[in-house]
């Protein structure tokens, strides 16, 4: 499946300097990297978790009742998701233009808000706690690929603790764990673990920015201010 090109250019050459030829280093042409033949890559069907007919039926219902911006009823959206196996507790608000790859692998706790345009690309399970806010256009993906062999699918679950807030346009990668009451700033990529009660962000170089709730401020943050998103 991997194709190689082992050709290289000469590394040295002769050049006349004054009356004497000298060896001058020549640019080395890099070996062409392997290319994976995607026609032979394994498919993603093993991650479906449901028969083909159910997956296709869900695709149609998702378009009509979940992603559809004209369908404004959160209650209907949640009911359709539950009908396909999603575990969604009471009081959850699910806004329009949302997408869910596999509702049977989605678990959401009480009173959680799912913002407009959120995409659960959940080829593995996503566990969202109670009182969580996932803001507009945030993308959660549990899948990756075996990039050095055959591009086969790799999946790992995502876990989000109670009271966390993922602000607008974040990206959460498979295997990530976001602690209780943590806040993720807009456009941040999350990969790994965020400890509880931490403010995490900076899209250029993500890292911890301090505590969300502190004793000195009576539980309102370091300066009592909010975050956009």
């Amino acid at each position: 499946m991997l194709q190689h090109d082992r050709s290289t250019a000469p590394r040295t050459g002769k050049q006349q300097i004054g009356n004497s030829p000298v060896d001058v280093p020549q640019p080395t042409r890099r070996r062409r990297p392997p290319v994976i033949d995607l026609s032979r890559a394994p498919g993603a069907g093993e991650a479906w978790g449901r028969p083909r007919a159910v997956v296709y039926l869900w695709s149609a219902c998702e378009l009509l009742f979940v992603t559809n911006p004209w369908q404004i009823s959160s209650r209907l959206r949640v009911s359709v998701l539950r009908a396909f196996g999603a575990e969604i507790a009471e009081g959850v608000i699910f806004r329009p233009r949302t997408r869910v790859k596999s509702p049977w692998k989605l678990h959401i706790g009480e009173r959680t808000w799912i913002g407009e345009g959120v995409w659960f690309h959940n080829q593995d399970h996503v566990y969202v706690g109670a009182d969580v806010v996932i803001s507009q256009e945030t993308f959660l993906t549990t899948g990756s690929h075996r990039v050095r062999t055959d591009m086969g699918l790799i999946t790992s679950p995502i876990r989000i603790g109670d009271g966390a807030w993922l602000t607008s346009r974040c990206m959460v990668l498979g295997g990530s764990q976001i602690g209780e009451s943590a806040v993720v700033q807009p456009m941040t990529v999350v990969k790994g673990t965020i400890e509880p009660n931490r403010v995490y962000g900076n899209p250029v170089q993500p890292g911890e920015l301090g505590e969300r709730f502190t004793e000195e401020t009576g539980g309102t943050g370091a300066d009592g201010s909010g975050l956009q998103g």
Side-chain angles (χ1 to χ4, degrees), residues 43-139:
E46 67 273 13
W48 285 357
R50 289 292 187 276
R52 185 182 300 270
V54 175
V55 174
Y56 289 170
L57 178 60
W58 164 246
S59 297
C61 290
E62 179 192 31
L63 182 63
L64 290 172
F65 301 110
V66 180
T67 305
N68 186 357
W70 295 98
Q71 199 297 94
I72 61 174
S73 171
S74 174
R75 182 174 298 179
L76 176 57
R77 189 170 290 107
V78 169
S79 295
V80 173
L81 285 162
R82 286 172 176 160
F84 280 86
E87 296 179 352
I88 302 177
E90 295 300 319
V92 171
I93 296 175
F94 231 102
R95 296 297 185 190
R97 294 197 308 109
T98 45
R99 295 190 63 185
V100 179
K101 178 77 172 178
S102 305
W104 44 89
K105 296 182 180 181
L106 182 62
H107 317 267
I108 301 178
E110 296 176 326
R111 301 175 299 277
T112 285
W113 300 347
I114 307 299
E116 189 168 347
V118 170
W119 186 359
F120 293 97
H121 195 265
N122 57 331
Q123 293 164 300
D124 207 322
H125 291 268
V126 172
Y127 301 92
V128 181
D131 301 301
V132 171
V133 178
I134 303 180
S135 291
Q136 297 86 347
E137 307 288 347
T138 287
F139 178 54

Side-chain angles (χ1 to χ4, degrees), residues 119-121 126 134 137-143 156-160 166-167 169-178 184 188-192 194:
W119 186 359
F120 293 97
H121 195 265
V126 172
I134 303 180
E137 307 288 347
T138 287
F139 178 54
L140 304 94
T141 177
T142 62
S156 49
I158 291 172
R159 291 178 170 83
I160 301 171
L166 279 64
T167 58
R169 295 192 172 182
C170 294
M171 178 182 290
V172 184
L173 303 181
S176 295
Q177 299 189 49
I178 299 174
V184 182
T188 297
V189 177
V190 178
K191 180 181 180 181
I194 298 177

